[in-house]
PDB file of all heavy atoms in Angstrom:
ATOM      1  N   LYS A   2      -9.395  -1.885 133.774  1.00 98.00           N
ATOM      2  CA  LYS A   2      -9.617  -2.975 132.830  1.00 98.00           C
ATOM      3  C   LYS A   2      -8.660  -4.130 133.158  1.00 98.00           C
ATOM      4  O   LYS A   2      -7.444  -3.950 133.170  1.00 98.00           O
ATOM      5  CB  LYS A   2      -9.388  -2.480 131.410  1.00 98.00           C
ATOM      6  CG  LYS A   2      -9.755  -3.477 130.333  1.00 98.00           C
ATOM      7  CD  LYS A   2      -9.617  -2.822 128.970  1.00 98.00           C
ATOM      8  CE  LYS A   2      -9.892  -3.792 127.858  1.00 98.00           C
ATOM      9  NZ  LYS A   2      -9.711  -3.159 126.546  1.00 98.00           N
ATOM     10  N   LEU A   4      -7.462  -8.244 132.520  1.00 98.00           N
ATOM     11  CA  LEU A   4      -7.475  -9.447 131.698  1.00 98.00           C
ATOM     12  C   LEU A   4      -7.385 -10.635 132.638  1.00 98.00           C
ATOM     13  O   LEU A   4      -6.441 -10.749 133.420  1.00 98.00           O
ATOM     14  CB  LEU A   4      -6.304  -9.473 130.713  1.00 98.00           C
ATOM     15  CG  LEU A   4      -6.169 -10.749 129.880  1.00 98.00           C
ATOM     16  CD1 LEU A   4      -7.417 -10.977 129.019  1.00 98.00           C
ATOM     17  CD2 LEU A   4      -4.922 -10.709 129.022  1.00 98.00           C
ATOM     18  N   VAL A   6      -6.950 -14.595 132.794  1.00 97.00           N
ATOM     19  CA  VAL A   6      -6.490 -15.721 131.978  1.00 97.00           C
ATOM     20  C   VAL A   6      -6.702 -16.986 132.798  1.00 97.00           C
ATOM     21  O   VAL A   6      -5.961 -17.267 133.733  1.00 97.00           O
ATOM     22  CB  VAL A   6      -5.008 -15.561 131.574  1.00 97.00           C
ATOM     23  CG1 VAL A   6      -4.624 -16.658 130.589  1.00 97.00           C
ATOM     24  CG2 VAL A   6      -4.746 -14.183 130.986  1.00 97.00           C
ATOM     25  N   GLN A  14     -15.861 -17.675 134.682  1.00 97.00           N
ATOM     26  CA  GLN A  14     -17.131 -16.936 134.721  1.00 97.00           C
ATOM     27  C   GLN A  14     -17.414 -16.401 136.116  1.00 97.00           C
ATOM     28  O   GLN A  14     -17.863 -15.265 136.271  1.00 97.00           O
ATOM     29  CB  GLN A  14     -18.272 -17.820 134.240  1.00 97.00           C
ATOM     30  CG  GLN A  14     -18.220 -18.113 132.766  1.00 97.00           C
ATOM     31  CD  GLN A  14     -19.293 -19.098 132.315  1.00 97.00           C
ATOM     32  OE1 GLN A  14     -19.939 -19.774 133.111  1.00 97.00           O
ATOM     33  NE2 GLN A  14     -19.470 -19.202 131.004  1.00 97.00           N
ATOM     34  N   GLY A  18     -17.408 -12.463 136.975  1.00 97.00           N
ATOM     35  CA  GLY A  18     -18.624 -11.877 137.540  1.00 97.00           C
ATOM     36  C   GLY A  18     -18.349 -11.110 138.820  1.00 97.00           C
ATOM     37  O   GLY A  18     -18.854 -10.001 139.013  1.00 97.00           O
ATOM     38  N   GLU A  22     -18.820  -7.126 139.365  1.00 97.00           N
ATOM     39  CA  GLU A  22     -19.647  -6.586 140.450  1.00 97.00           C
ATOM     40  C   GLU A  22     -18.879  -5.567 141.275  1.00 97.00           C
ATOM     41  O   GLU A  22     -19.474  -4.657 141.857  1.00 97.00           O
ATOM     42  CB  GLU A  22     -20.144  -7.710 141.351  1.00 97.00           C
ATOM     43  CG  GLU A  22     -21.259  -8.521 140.740  1.00 97.00           C
ATOM     44  CD  GLU A  22     -21.733  -9.641 141.655  1.00 97.00           C
ATOM     45  OE1 GLU A  22     -21.497  -9.574 142.869  1.00 97.00           O
ATOM     46  OE2 GLU A  22     -22.333 -10.594 141.128  1.00 97.00           O
ATOM     47  N   LEU A  25     -15.147  -3.432 137.934  1.00 98.00           N
ATOM     48  CA  LEU A  25     -14.036  -3.531 136.995  1.00 98.00           C
ATOM     49  C   LEU A  25     -14.513  -4.011 135.633  1.00 98.00           C
ATOM     50  O   LEU A  25     -15.486  -4.755 135.538  1.00 98.00           O
ATOM     51  CB  LEU A  25     -12.988  -4.515 137.528  1.00 98.00           C
ATOM     52  CG  LEU A  25     -12.420  -4.199 138.905  1.00 98.00           C
ATOM     53  CD1 LEU A  25     -11.536  -5.328 139.389  1.00 98.00           C
ATOM     54  CD2 LEU A  25     -11.646  -2.899 138.875  1.00 98.00           C
ATOM     55  N   LEU A  26     -13.828  -3.598 134.593  1.00 98.00           N
ATOM     56  CA  LEU A  26     -14.054  -4.127 133.252  1.00 98.00           C
ATOM     57  C   LEU A  26     -13.178  -5.366 133.126  1.00 98.00           C
ATOM     58  O   LEU A  26     -11.995  -5.327 133.445  1.00 98.00           O
ATOM     59  CB  LEU A  26     -13.655  -3.109 132.187  1.00 98.00           C
ATOM     60  CG  LEU A  26     -14.434  -1.800 132.174  1.00 98.00           C
ATOM     61  CD1 LEU A  26     -13.800  -0.831 131.185  1.00 98.00           C
ATOM     62  CD2 LEU A  26     -15.875  -2.066 131.803  1.00 98.00           C
ATOM     63  N   GLU A  28     -12.020  -8.796 130.693  1.00 98.00           N
ATOM     64  CA  GLU A  28     -12.003  -9.638 129.508  1.00 98.00           C
ATOM     65  C   GLU A  28     -11.376 -10.957 129.922  1.00 98.00           C
ATOM     66  O   GLU A  28     -10.474 -10.983 130.761  1.00 98.00           O
ATOM     67  CB  GLU A  28     -11.215  -8.990 128.379  1.00 98.00           C
ATOM     68  CG  GLU A  28     -11.931  -7.781 127.805  1.00 98.00           C
ATOM     69  CD  GLU A  28     -11.268  -7.245 126.550  1.00 98.00           C
ATOM     70  OE1 GLU A  28     -10.369  -7.901 125.989  1.00 98.00           O
ATOM     71  OE2 GLU A  28     -11.672  -6.161 126.127  1.00 98.00           O
ATOM     72  N   VAL A  29     -11.854 -12.053 129.333  1.00 98.00           N
ATOM     73  CA  VAL A  29     -11.390 -13.384 129.716  1.00 98.00           C
ATOM     74  C   VAL A  29     -10.709 -14.050 128.530  1.00 98.00           C
ATOM     75  O   VAL A  29     -11.220 -14.012 127.407  1.00 98.00           O
ATOM     76  CB  VAL A  29     -12.568 -14.255 130.208  1.00 98.00           C
ATOM     77  CG1 VAL A  29     -12.096 -15.657 130.558  1.00 98.00           C
ATOM     78  CG2 VAL A  29     -13.260 -13.608 131.394  1.00 98.00           C
ATOM     79  N   ALA A  30      -9.556 -14.658 128.803  1.00 98.00           N
ATOM     80  CA  ALA A  30      -8.864 -15.493 127.821  1.00 98.00           C
ATOM     81  C   ALA A  30      -8.727 -16.882 128.431  1.00 98.00           C
ATOM     82  O   ALA A  30      -8.383 -17.017 129.601  1.00 98.00           O
ATOM     83  CB  ALA A  30      -7.491 -14.918 127.502  1.00 98.00           C
ATOM     84  N   SER A  35      -4.347 -16.824 123.374  1.00 98.00           N
ATOM     85  CA  SER A  35      -5.378 -15.777 123.312  1.00 98.00           C
ATOM     86  C   SER A  35      -4.983 -14.587 124.175  1.00 98.00           C
ATOM     87  O   SER A  35      -5.147 -13.430 123.780  1.00 98.00           O
ATOM     88  CB  SER A  35      -6.723 -16.323 123.787  1.00 98.00           C
ATOM     89  OG  SER A  35      -7.154 -17.375 122.968  1.00 98.00           O
ATOM     90  N   THR A  42      -2.536  -6.323 121.766  1.00 96.00           N
ATOM     91  CA  THR A  42      -3.399  -5.445 120.976  1.00 96.00           C
ATOM     92  C   THR A  42      -4.296  -4.533 121.807  1.00 96.00           C
ATOM     93  O   THR A  42      -4.871  -3.596 121.263  1.00 96.00           O
ATOM     94  CB  THR A  42      -4.293  -6.278 120.039  1.00 96.00           C
ATOM     95  OG1 THR A  42      -5.084  -7.182 120.821  1.00 96.00           O
ATOM     96  CG2 THR A  42      -3.455  -7.065 119.047  1.00 96.00           C
ATOM     97  N   ARG A  44      -5.045  -2.518 125.817  1.00 96.00           N
ATOM     98  CA  ARG A  44      -4.406  -1.966 127.011  1.00 96.00           C
ATOM     99  C   ARG A  44      -5.176  -2.452 128.241  1.00 96.00           C
ATOM    100  O   ARG A  44      -6.396  -2.297 128.320  1.00 96.00           O
ATOM    101  CB  ARG A  44      -4.408  -0.448 126.954  1.00 96.00           C
ATOM    102  CG  ARG A  44      -3.791   0.205 128.170  1.00 96.00           C
ATOM    103  CD  ARG A  44      -3.726   1.719 128.000  1.00 96.00           C
ATOM    104  NE  ARG A  44      -3.616   2.369 129.268  1.00 96.00           N
ATOM    105  CZ  ARG A  44      -2.476   2.536 129.932  1.00 96.00           C
ATOM    106  NH1 ARG A  44      -1.366   2.091 129.407  1.00 96.00           N
ATOM    107  NH2 ARG A  44      -2.453   3.148 131.095  1.00 96.00           N
ATOM    108  N   ALA A  47      -4.206  -4.488 134.556  1.00 96.00           N
ATOM    109  CA  ALA A  47      -3.635  -5.623 135.288  1.00 96.00           C
ATOM    110  C   ALA A  47      -4.099  -6.919 134.638  1.00 96.00           C
ATOM    111  O   ALA A  47      -5.075  -6.940 133.878  1.00 96.00           O
ATOM    112  CB  ALA A  47      -4.069  -5.598 136.749  1.00 96.00           C
ATOM    113  N   VAL A  48      -3.389  -7.999 134.971  1.00 97.00           N
ATOM    114  CA  VAL A  48      -3.760  -9.325 134.511  1.00 97.00           C
ATOM    115  C   VAL A  48      -3.828 -10.258 135.711  1.00 97.00           C
ATOM    116  O   VAL A  48      -2.995 -10.175 136.617  1.00 97.00           O
ATOM    117  CB  VAL A  48      -2.781  -9.861 133.436  1.00 97.00           C
ATOM    118  CG1 VAL A  48      -1.373  -9.968 133.958  1.00 97.00           C
ATOM    119  CG2 VAL A  48      -3.243 -11.195 132.874  1.00 97.00           C
ATOM    120  N   VAL A  49      -4.853 -11.110 135.730  1.00 95.00           N
ATOM    121  CA  VAL A  49      -4.967 -12.197 136.709  1.00 95.00           C
ATOM    122  C   VAL A  49      -4.707 -13.455 135.908  1.00 95.00           C
ATOM    123  O   VAL A  49      -5.432 -13.759 134.956  1.00 95.00           O
ATOM    124  CB  VAL A  49      -6.357 -12.222 137.382  1.00 95.00           C
ATOM    125  CG1 VAL A  49      -6.462 -13.408 138.332  1.00 95.00           C
ATOM    126  CG2 VAL A  49      -6.624 -10.905 138.115  1.00 95.00           C
ATOM    127  N   LEU A  50      -3.667 -14.198 136.281  1.00 93.00           N
ATOM    128  CA  LEU A  50      -3.119 -15.235 135.417  1.00 93.00           C
ATOM    129  C   LEU A  50      -3.021 -16.577 136.130  1.00 93.00           C
ATOM    130  O   LEU A  50      -2.406 -16.683 137.187  1.00 93.00           O
ATOM    131  CB  LEU A  50      -1.723 -14.779 134.970  1.00 93.00           C
ATOM    132  CG  LEU A  50      -0.902 -15.665 134.072  1.00 93.00           C
ATOM    133  CD1 LEU A  50      -1.584 -15.860 132.726  1.00 93.00           C
ATOM    134  CD2 LEU A  50       0.475 -15.037 133.871  1.00 93.00           C
ATOM    135  N   ASP A  51      -3.619 -17.588 135.523  1.00 92.00           N
ATOM    136  CA  ASP A  51      -3.479 -18.965 136.007  1.00 92.00           C
ATOM    137  C   ASP A  51      -2.170 -19.530 135.474  1.00 92.00           C
ATOM    138  O   ASP A  51      -1.713 -19.140 134.397  1.00 92.00           O
ATOM    139  CB  ASP A  51      -4.668 -19.792 135.507  1.00 92.00           C
ATOM    140  CG  ASP A  51      -4.703 -21.206 136.052  1.00 92.00           C
ATOM    141  OD1 ASP A  51      -4.020 -21.492 137.056  1.00 92.00           O
ATOM    142  OD2 ASP A  51      -5.418 -22.040 135.470  1.00 92.00           O
ATOM    143  N   TRP A  62       4.403 -17.406 129.870  1.00 94.00           N
ATOM    144  CA  TRP A  62       3.736 -16.361 129.087  1.00 94.00           C
ATOM    145  C   TRP A  62       4.069 -14.987 129.665  1.00 94.00           C
ATOM    146  O   TRP A  62       4.387 -14.051 128.918  1.00 94.00           O
ATOM    147  CB  TRP A  62       2.220 -16.574 129.058  1.00 94.00           C
ATOM    148  CG  TRP A  62       1.806 -17.697 128.174  1.00 94.00           C
ATOM    149  CD1 TRP A  62       1.378 -18.944 128.560  1.00 94.00           C
ATOM    150  CD2 TRP A  62       1.796 -17.718 126.744  1.00 94.00           C
ATOM    151  NE1 TRP A  62       1.106 -19.718 127.466  1.00 94.00           N
ATOM    152  CE2 TRP A  62       1.347 -18.998 126.332  1.00 94.00           C
ATOM    153  CE3 TRP A  62       2.110 -16.786 125.774  1.00 94.00           C
ATOM    154  CZ2 TRP A  62       1.209 -19.348 124.996  1.00 94.00           C
ATOM    155  CZ3 TRP A  62       1.979 -17.136 124.424  1.00 94.00           C
ATOM    156  CH2 TRP A  62       1.537 -18.398 124.055  1.00 94.00           C
ATOM    157  N   LEU A  63       4.015 -14.867 130.997  1.00 92.00           N
ATOM    158  CA  LEU A  63       4.312 -13.591 131.640  1.00 92.00           C
ATOM    159  C   LEU A  63       5.752 -13.160 131.362  1.00 92.00           C
ATOM    160  O   LEU A  63       6.004 -11.994 131.056  1.00 92.00           O
ATOM    161  CB  LEU A  63       4.047 -13.691 133.146  1.00 92.00           C
ATOM    162  CG  LEU A  63       4.300 -12.436 133.975  1.00 92.00           C
ATOM    163  CD1 LEU A  63       3.462 -11.263 133.481  1.00 92.00           C
ATOM    164  CD2 LEU A  63       4.020 -12.713 135.450  1.00 92.00           C
ATOM    165  N   ALA A  64       6.687 -14.082 131.461  1.00 90.00           N
ATOM    166  CA  ALA A  64       8.090 -13.758 131.180  1.00 90.00           C
ATOM    167  C   ALA A  64       8.256 -13.272 129.739  1.00 90.00           C
ATOM    168  O   ALA A  64       9.017 -12.331 129.477  1.00 90.00           O
ATOM    169  CB  ALA A  64       8.972 -14.971 131.452  1.00 90.00           C
ATOM    170  N   ILE A  71       5.995  -5.523 127.872  1.00 94.00           N
ATOM    171  CA  ILE A  71       4.626  -5.428 128.383  1.00 94.00           C
ATOM    172  C   ILE A  71       4.717  -5.582 129.897  1.00 94.00           C
ATOM    173  O   ILE A  71       4.952  -6.669 130.407  1.00 94.00           O
ATOM    174  CB  ILE A  71       3.720  -6.505 127.752  1.00 94.00           C
ATOM    175  CG1 ILE A  71       3.686  -6.330 126.232  1.00 94.00           C
ATOM    176  CG2 ILE A  71       2.316  -6.442 128.354  1.00 94.00           C
ATOM    177  CD1 ILE A  71       3.013  -7.469 125.482  1.00 94.00           C
ATOM    178  N   LEU A  78      -2.911 -16.449 140.034  1.00 81.00           N
ATOM    179  CA  LEU A  78      -3.953 -17.117 140.812  1.00 81.00           C
ATOM    180  C   LEU A  78      -3.993 -18.567 140.346  1.00 81.00           C
ATOM    181  O   LEU A  78      -4.414 -18.849 139.225  1.00 81.00           O
ATOM    182  CB  LEU A  78      -5.303 -16.434 140.589  1.00 81.00           C
ATOM    183  CG  LEU A  78      -6.496 -17.013 141.339  1.00 81.00           C
ATOM    184  CD1 LEU A  78      -6.293 -16.893 142.849  1.00 81.00           C
ATOM    185  CD2 LEU A  78      -7.780 -16.308 140.924  1.00 81.00           C
ATOM    186  N   ALA A  88       8.601 -19.432 142.750  1.00 54.00           N
ATOM    187  CA  ALA A  88       9.851 -18.818 142.318  1.00 54.00           C
ATOM    188  C   ALA A  88       9.779 -18.399 140.849  1.00 54.00           C
ATOM    189  O   ALA A  88      10.261 -17.326 140.478  1.00 54.00           O
ATOM    190  CB  ALA A  88      11.012 -19.784 142.535  1.00 54.00           C
ATOM    191  N   SER A  91       7.778 -15.269 140.614  1.00 54.00           N
ATOM    192  CA  SER A  91       8.586 -14.140 141.084  1.00 54.00           C
ATOM    193  C   SER A  91       9.614 -13.733 140.040  1.00 54.00           C
ATOM    194  O   SER A  91       9.825 -12.547 139.787  1.00 54.00           O
ATOM    195  CB  SER A  91       9.278 -14.514 142.394  1.00 54.00           C
ATOM    196  OG  SER A  91      10.074 -13.456 142.850  1.00 54.00           O
ATOM    197  N   TYR A  98       1.271 -13.718 144.227  1.00 55.00           N
ATOM    198  CA  TYR A  98       1.018 -15.122 143.923  1.00 55.00           C
ATOM    199  C   TYR A  98       0.016 -15.623 144.948  1.00 55.00           C
ATOM    200  O   TYR A  98       0.317 -15.615 146.141  1.00 55.00           O
ATOM    201  CB  TYR A  98       2.330 -15.907 144.032  1.00 55.00           C
ATOM    202  CG  TYR A  98       2.287 -17.331 143.551  1.00 55.00           C
ATOM    203  CD1 TYR A  98       2.876 -17.690 142.351  1.00 55.00           C
ATOM    204  CD2 TYR A  98       1.702 -18.329 144.306  1.00 55.00           C
ATOM    205  CE1 TYR A  98       2.870 -19.004 141.904  1.00 55.00           C
ATOM    206  CE2 TYR A  98       1.693 -19.648 143.885  1.00 55.00           C
ATOM    207  CZ  TYR A  98       2.281 -19.979 142.682  1.00 55.00           C
ATOM    208  OH  TYR A  98       2.266 -21.265 142.237  1.00 55.00           O
ATOM    209  N   VAL A  99      -1.171 -16.008 144.501  1.00 60.00           N
ATOM    210  CA  VAL A  99      -2.226 -16.446 145.395  1.00 60.00           C
ATOM    211  C   VAL A  99      -2.678 -17.842 144.978  1.00 60.00           C
ATOM    212  O   VAL A  99      -2.905 -18.089 143.798  1.00 60.00           O
ATOM    213  CB  VAL A  99      -3.432 -15.476 145.357  1.00 60.00           C
ATOM    214  CG1 VAL A  99      -4.551 -15.946 146.260  1.00 60.00           C
ATOM    215  CG2 VAL A  99      -3.002 -14.064 145.724  1.00 60.00           C
TER     216      VAL A  99
END
Side-chain angles (χ1 to χ4, degrees):
K2 187 174 177 182
L4 175 61
V6 187
Q14 290 175 346
E22 285 180 20
L25 303 173
L26 297 173
E28 290 189 11
V29 178
S35 299
T42 59
R44 179 176 159 83
V48 60
V49 177
L50 179 63
D51 185 17
W62 286 105
L63 180 58
I71 300 170
L78 180 63
S91 179
Y98 189 106
V99 178

